[in-house]
Amino acid sequence: MIKVVRGNPTPEELAAALAVVQARAAARATAAPEGTVRSAWADPARLVPARRVPPPGARAWRTTYWPA
């Protein structure tokens, strides 16, 4: 149930708000349930190349983009 707490919305405004709520509820219902385990192949972190982080220092920013 949706309850208007303040204001006096028009029927069009109520219909728009209800459409948004229904769309979000439908999207959430079709989404994967929380706690699903993704395979390592689906992990986007595997596409990031493993790089060494430069040691901290005054000129560390210079070596940030050096080839590994």
Side-chain angles (χ1 to χ4, degrees), residues 38-48:
R38 296 173 69 181
S39 74
W41 287 104
D43 187 12
R46 73 179 183 85
L47 300 174
V48 177

Side-chain angles (χ1 to χ4, degrees), residues 2 10-28:
I2 296 179
T10 65
E12 292 82 13
E13 291 172 337
L14 283 176
L18 184 59
V20 170
V21 170
Q22 286 178 337
R24 297 223 25 194
R28 185 154 195 176

Side-chain angles (χ1 to χ4, degrees), residues 23-62:
R24 297 223 25 194
R28 185 154 195 176
T30 59
E34 301 255 347
T36 9
V37 179
R38 296 173 69 181
S39 74
W41 287 104
D43 187 12
R46 73 179 183 85
L47 300 174
V48 177
R51 297 198 57 184
R52 233 177 10 114
V53 177
R59 295 187 186 1
W61 63 270
R62 291 182 179 186

